[in-house]
Amino acid sequence: MKKLLTAIMAAGIVALTTSPAWSEDGDDIMSNNGGVSSLRGQVEISTVNKSEPLKRVPRDQNTIDRNYVQQPPMIPHTIRGYQVNLSANKCLSCHSFKNAGEMGATKISVTHFEDRDGTTLSDVSPRRYFCLQCHVTQADAKPLVENTFQPVDSLK
Ligand code: HEC
Ligand code: HEC
């Protein structure tokens, strides 16, 4: 077992240290994925892709229409530098029930206080603490895949 693990690790190290499997013009040099390309492009799983340039998020705009009633509303403002971690939640400094009025922001809804059993807690439920799991900023970006979704008539 130990030998097998060592062999696998050695193989991993070799794979990581060999030159990238992807050339600048996108040619597939040594891909062993059967020619299947993913949204990452045609690259080996062990190759670290060049990161995309950051998208420009509009600074401030009106709230964005929702396409279906249960949709987490999209974020209509930039969130650069807003931290959400164990000790602070920048989003709640404007969106909590306590601060929303003064900050002119939308209050989080009552669903954000419910735990998974439907019990309403006295503060934001842990499963709603990391806002960006569900709410995202918008940018004028090319869709990665085609989408023909249409909202129901009552929301059009
Ligand atoms: C400095 C205050 C402030 C902070 C911090 C802030 N927001 Fe906002 N946010 C606003 C205001 C003000 C609006 C309302 C804009 C409007 O109504 O035109 C808003 C709107 C929104 C909306 C749209 C609500 C709707 O009904 O469509 C979402 C979602 C949202 N913010 C999420 C977030 C998240 C997630 C964070 C943290 C990453 C965050 N906000 C941080 C002030 C803030
Ligand atoms: C698990 C997904 C999820 C997380 C995490 C989450 N939300 Fe939401 N949020 C939703 C959904 C879905 C809605 C719309 C339906 C509803 O109100 O529950 C919503 C609605 C909202 C609204 C609009 C409320 C209204 O009455 O129109 C605001 C503002 C908001 N969320 C802010 C936040 C902030 C701030 C956080 C982090 C503290 C957060 N949300 C975390 C899913 C989420």
Side-chain angles (χ1 to χ4, degrees):
M1 187 65 196
K2 211 169 169 193
K3 262 187 188 157
L4 181 65
L5 278 180
T6 321
I8 293 173
M9 279 169 70
I13 291 168
V14 171
L16 283 173
T17 48
T18 47
S19 58
W22 189 56
S23 67
E24 279 302 311
D25 53 8
D27 278 349
D28 183 14
I29 301 167
M30 53 169 235
S31 175
N32 58 12
N33 62 2
V36 178
S37 74
S38 71
L39 291 176
R40 297 176 72 228
Q42 220 169 31
V43 286
E44 293 288 344
I45 196 77
S46 54
T47 307
V48 178
N49 257 357
K50 249 195 295 179
S51 53
E52 293 261 324
L54 288 179
K55 302 267 184 312
R56 274 175 60 110
V57 173
R59 199 154 271 282
D60 250 319
Q61 49 180 334
N62 292 332
T63 50
I64 303 160
D65 288 343
R66 300 183 203 184
N67 288 319
Y68 54 100
V69 284
Q70 308 88 339
Q71 180 188 339
M74 295 181 291
I75 307 176
H77 53 71
T78 147
I79 54 163
R80 179 75 64 87
Y82 289 0
Q83 292 207 9
V84 176
N85 57 33
L86 197 58
S87 49
N89 186 322
K90 181 72 179 170
C91 313
L92 288 175
S93 69
C94 291
H95 288 283
S96 69
F97 266 56
K98 196 165 136 199
N99 303 331
E102 196 185 325
M103 301 309 291
T106 330
K107 283 191 184 74
I108 50 173
S109 62
V110 285
T111 60
H112 291 46
F113 292 83
E114 282 169 16
D115 68 10
R116 65 177 174 188
D117 302 318
T119 309
T120 302
L121 310 176
S122 60
D123 204 346
V124 176
S125 171
R127 64 186 191 139
R128 291 286 170 112
Y129 185 80
F130 293 101
C131 319
L132 299 174
Q133 260 176 274
C134 305
H135 299 280
V136 286
T137 50
Q138 297 299 294
D140 189 12
K142 201 165 109 250
L144 292 174
V145 289
E146 194 197 357
N147 185 345
T148 54
F149 182 86
Q150 291 289 328
V152 289
D153 284 344
S154 57
L155 289 181
K156 267 185 194 162

